[in-house]
Amino acid sequence: MVSSSHEALHRIFQKDPALLTRALQQVLNVPFPEPREFAAMNVDLTEVEPVERRVDTLVRVETDQGEYLLVVESQGRKDEAKRGSWPYYLSYLYEKYGCEPVLIVITQNSVTAAWAAEPIHRGLPGRPSMTVRPLVLGPDNVPLIADAREAERDVPLAVLSAMTHGKGPRVAAILESLVAALRTIDAESAAAFVQFVDSCLDDPRAKEIWRDLMAAVQYFWRHPLAEQVREEGREEGREEGREEGREEGREQGRLEDRAEMTLRILEWRGIPVPDFVRERVQGCTDLQQLEVWAQRAVHAADAVELFSDERRPH
């Protein structure tokens, strides 16, 4: 089953494709040409008959030196099956689109990074017919950004830093610097980056630090995660006897905020939102259900997947 961490690690590049080419140039020292234009592409590589195959993220990049396809694979652990899939992906994409494919693997684990970077040889020993050398982004080469000014200079790279270094000893400084930097960008992008980081933080201590920071920063008041954390704190200290009308007003505001955020996440990811989906989300009066839909909006392949737990008619 695909994890939230898996999804967030590669979907940050769907949110900001330019981060991908900067990472190639600045982190991996790959002389990649300066991009002119980006285009998200269909990740489905299934042919007419065979087994379904999908890459995680696929971006077409136009440069003065030609077009490239950037193939991003999020990898949580070693998976020898990928050493068969990755060469297939590159060959299929080159044959289909006629431009050079570039394989980039992103991981939070140093052992997985070392494994993924090993060349894949196909053919005779010493005389392979095909060699694939993945480019790997991980905790050993993504810069550790623990300074607020540095984070402000490149916020998406600071987000990637937090996502890949979330288990390290300097996680508190990394997250504090990122929160300061997120204040300098638009609220919609900040909310998306908040969700990516939250999905990638598996370490309990790092998760607690991040939730505490979210509770303290009013800038993210529209984000479901921040609202949830602050609500937990309000519940502990809420005075008895607060006027029922005011409470109903606050409840309605929370419903509207979460509904709006769910739809916005789908929209910035380029996923069409049919009218019946929009009406259902905006008309929902169950705060917990809206929380679930907001989380699903980050990973869903189409808007209808928000309701994936419901039985569909045969």
Side-chain angles (χ1 to χ4, degrees), residues 211 225-238:
R211 293 297 181 93
L225 171 62
E227 179 61 27
Q228 175 186 338
V229 174
R230 285 193 290 275
E231 179 63 21
E232 291 170 356
R234 284 195 293 267
E235 286 293 341
E236 295 176 0
R238 183 169 287 151

Side-chain angles (χ1 to χ4, degrees), residues 66-239:
E67 293 186 344
Y68 295 86
L69 294 176
L70 303 185
V71 185
V72 184
E73 285 280 277
S74 174
Q75 201 65 31
R77 56 181 174 77
K78 294 181 180 180
D79 182 359
E80 290 302 322
K82 290 293 187 179
R83 302 184 73 77
S85 300
W86 289 340
Y88 167 83
Y89 294 165
L90 301 182
S91 298
Y92 175 85
L93 288 167
Y94 181 79
E95 182 67 19
K96 181 175 182 178
Y97 296 106
C99 49
E100 299 295 340
V102 180
L103 175 62
I104 302 146
V105 180
I106 180 167
T107 181
Q108 296 174 289
N109 185 284
S110 295
V111 174
T112 303
W115 164 81
E118 295 174 2
I120 303 169
H121 301 293
R122 291 291 174 261
L124 293 172
R127 292 293 300 272
S129 299
M130 174 188 291
T131 298
V132 174
R133 291 184 171 88
L135 300 170
V136 182
L137 294 169
D140 296 327
N141 56 14
V142 172
L144 190 158
I145 299 178
D147 176 79
R149 290 184 180 180
E150 185 180 359
E152 289 173 11
R153 284 195 291 269
D154 193 335
V155 177
L157 185 60
V159 174
L160 186 63
S161 175
M163 293 163 66
T164 51
H165 294 282
K167 296 181 180 179
R170 300 194 64 192
V171 64
I174 293 170
L175 296 179
E176 289 170 3
S177 299
L178 176 58
V179 168
L182 288 172
R183 297 178 189 228
T184 66
I185 64 175
D186 65 281
E188 185 176 345
S189 294
F193 289 146
V194 166
Q195 189 65 63
F196 288 150
V197 173
D198 188 69
S199 297
C200 280
L201 294 177
D202 296 327
D203 181 74
R205 174 174 169 270
K207 197 82 159 181
E208 183 179 1
I209 292 171
W210 185 242
R211 293 297 181 93
D212 287 345
L213 288 169
M214 290 298 96
V217 180
Q218 296 299 319
Y219 178 77
F220 298 115
W221 68 274
R222 298 185 72 84
H223 192 273
L225 171 62
E227 179 61 27
Q228 175 186 338
V229 174
R230 285 193 290 275
E231 179 63 21
E232 291 170 356
R234 284 195 293 267
E235 286 293 341
E236 295 176 0
R238 183 169 287 151
E239 296 178 2

Side-chain angles (χ1 to χ4, degrees), residues 181-305:
L182 288 172
R183 297 178 189 228
T184 66
I185 64 175
D186 65 281
E188 185 176 345
S189 294
F193 289 146
V194 166
Q195 189 65 63
F196 288 150
V197 173
D198 188 69
S199 297
C200 280
L201 294 177
D202 296 327
D203 181 74
R205 174 174 169 270
K207 197 82 159 181
E208 183 179 1
I209 292 171
W210 185 242
R211 293 297 181 93
D212 287 345
L213 288 169
M214 290 298 96
V217 180
Q218 296 299 319
Y219 178 77
F220 298 115
W221 68 274
R222 298 185 72 84
H223 192 273
L225 171 62
E227 179 61 27
Q228 175 186 338
V229 174
R230 285 193 290 275
E231 179 63 21
E232 291 170 356
R234 284 195 293 267
E235 286 293 341
E236 295 176 0
R238 183 169 287 151
E239 296 178 2
E240 295 182 1
R242 185 169 292 176
E243 295 87 357
E244 183 176 338
R246 292 179 58 191
E247 184 59 32
E248 288 178 356
R250 283 190 294 271
E251 181 71 8
Q252 182 61 35
R254 288 192 289 269
L255 290 170
E256 292 174 357
D257 288 343
R258 289 199 178 121
E260 181 180 355
M261 180 55 64
T262 300
L263 297 173
R264 281 188 175 183
I265 290 173
L266 291 173
E267 288 167 356
W268 69 247
R269 288 186 53 219
I271 295 177
V273 181
D275 288 343
F276 79 92
V277 172
R278 185 179 302 277
E279 291 171 2
R280 182 166 179 186
V281 171
Q282 291 176 335
C284 181
T285 58
D286 185 338
L287 202 56
Q288 186 174 2
Q289 182 63 73
L290 285 169
E291 284 280 3
V292 172
W293 290 346
Q295 294 289 333
R296 286 181 185 161
V298 179
H299 317 302
D302 61 66
V304 179
E305 280 191 20

